[in-house]
Each structure stands twice: as C-alpha cells, then as structure tokens.
Amino acid sequence: METHLELWFDTSVEGVAFLKPVYRESEPLITFHCQRVNKTLAQLLGRTADEFIGQLIDSFIPWIPQAELASQLVTVFQTGEPQQGQYYYPQRNCWFSVSLTRLAGWRSLDV
C-alpha cells in the first residue's frame, strides 16, 4: 500500500502537502508544519518541494484566512471530518479549491 501512496503522491495532478501538528508545552494545538509537498503543489506556489519542509502552514499559504484554516485543520485533526474551501490566490489571480483530510496520523492538504 505504501508504494501506491508514494506513486499517487509523486504523480498527482493535484497539489498535496502532508502536515503534522505543532504543540507547545502547556498550550493546546497551535498550528501545523509541512512534512512533505509534492511537485505539483510546489509548482503552483512557485517554489521547490524542499523549500516547504518544516515550514508552518500559515507561512506558505498566507492568502488563506489563517483563523479559518486553523479551525478547519483542528476539526480534521480532532474528528477526522474532511473540510473544504475556495480561496483566491492574488499572486496567480485565480481561485483554488482546498481540501483537508486525515490520513493515518497525517493531515493532507490538497489543492
């Protein structure tokens, strides 16, 4: 199965990022940081995939309202219920459909 997931990730025409939650001592869940980004998402955002690794999600998609994004990510994290939204990306003058899902301990952002 892992080989199929890798193949899908590497060849998907959708931009995909795998995210992990970020915690601080004695504080609730704060945000998420990027573990992996496929080439499609990197190209959509005008960077290389390696540039996203370890970055907080709000630093590489600031055009999505951060309070809304945080709320959706926490919902996915806590309940497993997928979330979706439509967001305008001004640098590209276009709209993106963003899906957030949980996948065996990972959170997935699909654009």
Side-chain angles (χ1 to χ4, degrees):
M1 178 62 181
E2 199 164 307
T3 303
H4 294 295
L5 180 60
E6 290 291 326
L7 180 61
W8 167 80
F9 183 81
D10 292 338
T11 61
S12 178
V13 295
E14 291 185 18
V16 180
F18 288 147
L19 311 171
K20 284 280 193 175
V22 174
Y23 299 92
R24 294 195 180 134
E25 287 185 33
S26 71
E27 292 185 34
L29 176 66
I30 303 295
T31 188
F32 291 79
H33 71 265
C34 185
Q35 293 288 305
R36 292 194 62 190
V37 169
N38 73 352
K39 290 178 186 175
T40 303
L41 182 58
Q43 288 173 346
L44 286 170
L45 299 178
R47 296 165 66 185
T48 67
D50 288 341
E51 291 179 83
F52 293 98
I53 306 305
Q55 287 197 14
L56 297 178
I57 189 167
D58 49 352
S59 70
F60 68 85
I61 51 172
W63 40 274
I64 296 178
Q66 296 306 299
E68 182 179 341
L69 178 63
S71 174
Q72 289 178 330
L73 282 166
V74 169
T75 297
V76 171
F77 180 74
Q78 292 176 340
T79 69
E81 180 182 329
Q83 301 289 303
Q84 287 186 296
Q86 301 285 325
Y87 303 99
Y88 181 70
Y89 184 27
Q91 285 93 348
R92 301 273 180 167
N93 192 30
C94 64
W95 287 86
F96 281 81
S97 176
V98 176
S99 299
L100 305 166
T101 56
R102 186 164 68 185
L103 178 65
W106 294 88
R107 272 19 101 221
S108 172
L109 174 131
D110 303 324
V111 178

